[in-house]
Amino acid sequence: MNDVTSRRQFIATGLTAAAGLGMLPAWASGRAASNPADKIRLGIIGTGSRGAGLATLIREMPDFDLVACCDVIPENLQKGLSLARKDAKGYTDYRKLLDDKSIDAVVIATPLYLHYPMAVAALQAGKHIYLEKSMTYDIPQAIDLVKKVKASGLIFQIGYQYRYYGLYHRVKEILNQNWLGKVTHFECQYNRNSNWRFPVKDPKMERAINWRMYREYCGGPLSELCAHEIDVVNYLLDSHPVKVVGLGGINYWKDGRDTYDNIRTVYDYPNGVKASVTSVLSNAYNGYSIRILGDKATAEILRDKALIYPETINNAKGVVDGVTGATIAVTTQGQGVELKFGKPGEESLEPTVYALQDFADCVRTKKQPISNVETGRDGSIAIHMGNAAVDTESVQYWKPEYSA
Amino acid sequence: MQLFRIKGSAQGTTYSITYFSPKEKVRKVQIDSIFKRLDESLSIYKPGSLINRFNESENETAIDGHFYEVVRKALEISQKTDGAFDITVYPLVRAWGFGTVEMKDLPDSAQIKALLDCVGSGKLTLTKAKLSKANPCTKIDVNGIAQGYSVDVVANFLEANSILDYLVEVGGEIRVKGRKYPEKEQMAIGIETPSENEFERAGIQKVIVIGDRAVTTSGSYRKFREVATGRISHIIDPHTGFPAQTNIISATVVAKDALTADGYDNALLAMGLKKALTWLANRPDLQAYFIYKKPNGVVSDTATANFYPYIR
């Protein structure tokens, strides 16, 4: 047994083994993994804008050692390596990265059409996986990946970081406490006022760099932007949609793209709850927002806060001339009240950091993540149904075999 | 007679004034200046206010008329309620996270014991010119009574401007006089149904008509902290240093003026229902209505005998 395998076995069985010896490693009690042997050896496949962003966060985390990067675009690879450990290896072929037996886990942050083949290869190579959202390019891949992950026994997390963010935990809590009353609608939008393109020096690189513009590689705004909100609605309702209608088009950025520059879908959830999911690429007012409509109040979730707007109850009007009661804070009158979450004074981190911390914990303790292959499947199927509804101008239904 | 309405925000909450008069006699800018003046004296949220200067002082601070009136009444109520209401509880209020800054942790018993040494109205000496304290750590918070006082100040201002039909409300504390027109009826006041959380708009539990009097309500339902073991109330028991374990959800008190009513509603809430009703038996000048939780968890209401005639 060489150093590498013994260390990897420790990662796999570490908690039970260490607990059996009556000693707990540093990471079991806190987040400071001071011993390098406790660190998860990580490779990133795809170090473009998102992958490099993840690397920037990972670099600051004691849980991981970023030991390898892979990208087909030299500038991206260079950027990834600049954020990795000094002796990190650079690859242009992800299969070679996966061949490195010393790597415990991989982050996959590539264009959507590559998610499935890369994830399958990583599972075959025995790597734990943090796969960026959305999960797969189409529905059959989503269903198949569930089977493959379950058979592998490996940790598989989808990069829906809002499932790990205290703001959304708090929103779920107040929904369960009936603060909003009966919730009937969600209004989700992920808008921006830009062509959503990255600069291309060499025209040959257009499709590789601006893959978001092409349906060959992804589902456009629904899979790359609104995916988060669809996942959030699934999370808050503990459910998935049963059907969807939608309209969309390319009506503003007529620049050769074939993904929609505007799309508006309405998802129907159990009990008639409806979620409109919109992306418009020519307006950025409140760019990212989810409004939850209840008969007692509205919750408006923005990037890093949520506001509550109580419904006005008119039963006092006309009946009485004044009302005596416990003092209402001034802000609750007619305007939004910011929802408190987390502990006072607690530092709020980038939501992705919480997701990555949990990934590390899952790898060490062998528990499956909250954002897992099944929630990922439900999100991806909903996305594909939404795009299909718009493509075919027809209602798309959730088929029983999707969640069998 | 015309109806005039002035609405605004002050003292961390909202206010609303309704008055009937042949012509406009009082305007919003005048009312706002009154609140501003009161804040300079009584607001713990306003840096440099008299109350903050006193709290930061080692022993004494020169005071003004507003400050004197409020503290005088607070000391009187503290004495008459055996300390159930006590403005010197502020160091504990802060430690429990209900002061001007949020607290990350809950205080432990050693901290509470140490802070109890700063608490007690007996540690204050009041003259018209100054307020003194025996211990520099004694700090006061008149939030439980200042709104009632503000209502009285505004009501007196209206009367000084020969307005005799009005309703003044600040943060749910009310003083009313005269009638509304054209009905020539007394104005009706709703007692709020306690809500589940700080956002919920409450309904009306009872409608009362009280003549030329004041009515205030203290509730444990809107201001609280969620902790691991449940909710803790913002009403701190000055005797124990811990949040009051009261079965009263809201206490509504009718009195001749809002300062009196507002001072006693907190004390009654902290006492708990049984003690509050016993205590009220010797106070015919106060009429009270309670919404409370029975031991089996059912929410119920009750009132002193002299309160029932107000209920419409």
Side-chain angles (χ1 to χ4, degrees):
Chain A
M1 189 189 274
N2 62 31
D3 273 4
V4 170
T5 50
S6 66
R7 196 192 48 75
R8 293 199 68 205
Q9 275 183 358
F10 175 75
I11 298 262
T13 57
L15 190 60
T16 33
L21 292 171
M23 55 167 220
L24 282 171
W27 45 259
S29 51
R31 297 224 62 83
S34 51
N35 181 357
D38 295 342
K39 293 195 172 198
I40 295 164
R41 288 171 61 86
L42 189 75
I44 297 186
I45 302 172
T47 47
S49 59
R50 181 59 181 164
L54 287 166
T56 308
L57 301 174
I58 286 165
R59 184 166 67 153
E60 304 298 325
M61 297 177 65
D63 308 83
F64 300 105
D65 244 352
L66 183 50
V67 296
C69 296
C70 172
D71 205 293
V72 291
I73 299 172
E75 291 86 351
N76 288 354
L77 183 57
Q78 212 175 0
K79 173 78 180 163
L81 287 171
S82 77
L83 297 164
R85 224 170 75 164
K86 265 194 189 136
D87 58 352
K89 294 198 177 103
Y91 298 94
T92 51
D93 183 342
Y94 72 95
R95 285 163 297 199
K96 292 205 173 119
L97 183 149
L98 294 176
D99 284 341
D100 183 344
K101 297 273 186 287
S102 79
I103 292 175
D104 304 307
V106 290
V107 167
I108 301 173
T110 52
L112 179 58
Y113 75 109
L114 295 170
H115 284 189
Y116 174 79
M118 287 178 168
V120 170
L123 290 173
Q124 278 164 357
K127 312 294 188 205
H128 303 294
I129 300 168
Y130 184 98
L131 173 61
E132 257 310 324
K133 61 86 206 165
S134 57
M135 192 171 90
T136 58
Y137 180 76
D138 62 25
I139 292 176
Q141 289 177 357
I143 294 168
D144 188 59
L145 202 49
V146 173
K147 288 184 197 138
K148 289 201 161 67
V149 167
K150 283 188 173 169
S152 74
L154 294 160
I155 301 307
F156 183 89
Q157 185 168 330
I158 295 291
Y160 285 118
Q161 63 271 18
Y162 293 135
R163 284 190 184 244
Y164 298 87
Y165 186 21
L167 174 63
Y168 289 86
H169 300 164
R170 182 71 182 136
V171 169
K172 194 169 168 75
E173 192 173 84
I174 66 157
L175 287 180
N176 291 337
Q177 290 171 358
N178 202 36
W179 285 25
L180 306 186
K182 187 175 168 59
V183 170
T184 52
H185 289 81
F186 289 74
E187 293 180 346
C188 312
Q189 67 171 53
Y190 204 138
N191 296 351
R192 44 203 301 162
N193 197 342
S194 84
N195 64 6
W196 201 26
R197 284 177 170 277
F198 288 88
V200 178
K201 279 185 230 152
D202 177 356
K204 282 204 293 286
M205 296 302 287
E206 158 65 13
R207 291 176 82 86
I209 291 170
N210 286 312
W211 53 272
R212 292 176 183 83
M213 305 295 115
Y214 304 99
R215 283 294 281 277
E216 191 182 342
Y217 310 124
C218 74
L222 215 53
S223 76
E224 304 311 309
L225 298 174
C226 301
H228 280 297
E229 298 173 317
I230 293 171
D231 182 62
V232 164
V233 176
N234 288 353
Y235 165 71
L236 293 176
L237 292 177
D238 286 315
S239 185
H240 61 70
V242 293
K243 60 179 184 251
V244 57
V245 296
L247 288 172
I250 304 160
N251 307 101
Y252 187 89
W253 296 107
K254 296 168 186 170
D255 57 2
R257 73 183 63 200
D258 63 16
T259 54
Y260 297 120
D261 67 11
N262 68 97
I263 181 164
R264 312 193 67 143
T265 56
V266 180
Y267 287 89
D268 191 27
Y269 281 80
N271 305 313
V273 175
K274 292 178 187 64
S276 65
V277 177
T278 293
S279 184
V280 171
L281 300 186
S282 52
N283 178 288
Y285 175 70
N286 271 358
Y288 173 94
S289 98
I290 299 173
R291 285 177 299 282
I292 309 172
L293 313 188
D295 62 2
K296 284 159 84 175
T298 304
E300 180 182 36
I301 307 172
L302 300 172
R303 281 270 178 209
D304 53 5
K305 64 179 174 187
L307 301 164
I308 311 288
Y309 299 85
E311 290 288 289
T312 308
I313 291 174
N314 284 330
N315 62 357
K317 234 184 200 170
V319 181
V320 295
D321 303 288
V323 175
T324 181
T327 306
I328 303 180
V330 65
T331 47
T332 66
Q333 309 263 320
Q335 30 181 314
V337 192
E338 196 165 332
L339 183 67
K340 285 182 196 159
F341 67 99
K343 290 191 186 123
E346 191 179 54
E347 192 189 3
S348 188
L349 303 172
E350 163 73 31
T352 303
V353 173
Y354 299 115
L356 289 166
Q357 282 177 351
D358 197 65
F359 178 62
D361 288 344
C362 286
V363 167
R364 286 162 175 153
T365 61
K366 284 286 189 184
K367 78 172 182 203
Q368 278 302 333
I370 302 156
S371 176
N372 54 50
V373 71
E374 286 180 316
T375 61
R377 170 200 61 199
D378 289 354
S380 277
I381 291 175
I383 290 161
H384 296 294
M385 283 169 58
N387 272 331
V390 177
D391 296 343
T392 61
E393 296 192 2
S394 65
V395 184
Q396 299 294 308
Y397 296 89
W398 189 281
K399 295 179 183 159
E401 62 264 32
Y402 289 169
S403 36
Chain B
M1 291 292 246
Q2 282 186 66
L3 163 70
F4 296 93
R5 210 165 250 153
I6 303 171
K7 283 174 184 273
S9 37
Q11 305 184 331
T13 184
T14 55
Y15 73 82
S16 141
I17 296 162
T18 306
Y19 71 87
F20 297 88
S21 168
K23 64 180 177 74
E24 185 174 40
K25 287 179 179 163
V26 166
R27 288 176 304 121
K28 182 166 162 34
V29 58
Q30 296 171 284
I31 302 297
D32 285 336
S33 72
I34 292 174
F35 283 118
K36 209 172 155 218
R37 176 69 194 79
L38 287 165
D39 277 353
E40 282 163 10
S41 192
L42 303 170
S43 173
I44 53 168
Y45 295 95
K46 193 173 173 62
S49 64
L50 283 183
I51 194 165
N52 278 332
R53 268 190 265 166
F54 173 77
N55 286 342
E56 287 150 21
S57 75
E58 287 293 311
N59 42 43
E60 61 178 45
T61 304
I63 59 172
D64 64 7
H66 291 313
F67 200 101
Y68 174 78
E69 279 304 319
V70 169
V71 174
R72 183 191 62 76
K73 191 70 177 184
L75 295 179
E76 176 193 312
I77 292 169
S78 172
Q79 189 246 320
K80 290 195 170 155
T81 60
D82 193 23
F85 174 74
D86 197 318
I87 53 173
T88 62
V89 80
Y90 187 47
L92 287 162
V93 170
R94 284 212 305 190
W96 283 100
F98 295 107
T100 50
V101 288
E102 291 190 333
M103 291 286 170
K104 200 171 173 179
D105 302 308
L106 297 177
D108 59 28
S109 49
Q111 243 178 306
I112 290 166
K113 194 161 175 286
L115 289 173
L116 276 171
D117 289 341
C118 317
V119 174
S121 286
K123 297 186 168 68
L124 297 176
T125 310
L126 178 72
T127 69
K128 284 210 162 167
K130 68 184 185 189
L131 182 65
S132 324
K133 52 184 169 184
N135 189 339
C137 74
T138 297
K139 295 177 197 295
I140 64 171
D141 163 12
V142 295
N143 288 353
I145 190 170
Q147 277 173 11
Y149 179 70
S150 310
V151 169
D152 287 338
V153 171
V154 172
N156 293 340
F157 178 74
L158 296 182
E159 292 189 25
N161 284 278
S162 57
I163 295 167
L164 299 171
D165 301 283
Y166 62 80
L167 185 148
V168 176
E169 181 260 338
V170 180
E173 327 299 5
I174 291 174
R175 189 158 137 185
V176 64
K177 187 181 173 73
R179 289 170 185 267
K180 61 178 169 183
Y181 294 84
E183 302 93 333
K184 291 192 184 170
E185 283 172 5
Q186 287 191 37
M187 283 177 261
I189 296 160
I191 299 173
E192 194 175 74
T193 303
S195 54
E196 284 294 311
N197 58 64
E198 60 184 306
F199 303 115
E200 195 180 322
R201 276 291 182 281
I204 301 294
Q205 179 103 1
K206 283 274 185 290
V207 176
I208 55 174
V209 175
I210 58 172
D212 296 353
R213 287 185 181 82
V215 58
T216 67
T217 298
S218 177
S220 56
Y221 57 93
R222 195 164 267 134
K223 199 170 177 189
F224 51 80
R225 270 179 80 184
E226 303 264 10
V227 296
T229 49
R231 286 179 177 183
I232 54 171
S233 161
H234 75 288
I235 310 272
I236 308 300
D237 185 333
H239 299 301
T240 65
F242 283 83
Q245 297 289 328
T246 177
N247 55 347
I248 298 175
I249 300 166
S250 83
T252 299
V253 175
V254 176
K256 63 177 178 12
D257 59 58
L259 176 63
T260 305
D262 203 14
Y264 283 109
D265 62 12
N266 292 300
L268 293 167
L269 185 84
M271 282 181 199
L273 187 64
K274 197 173 165 204
K275 201 172 163 199
L277 289 173
T278 311
W279 185 88
L280 281 164
N282 301 314
R283 290 296 301 261
D285 58 319
L286 302 174
Q287 300 87 48
Y289 170 82
F290 300 98
I291 299 171
Y292 67 103
K293 200 171 250 180
K294 291 182 172 178
N296 63 6
V298 173
V299 174
S300 186
D301 61 354
T302 188
T304 57
N306 56 10
F307 188 89
Y308 286 97
Y310 297 140
I311 298 175
R312 196 163 76 178

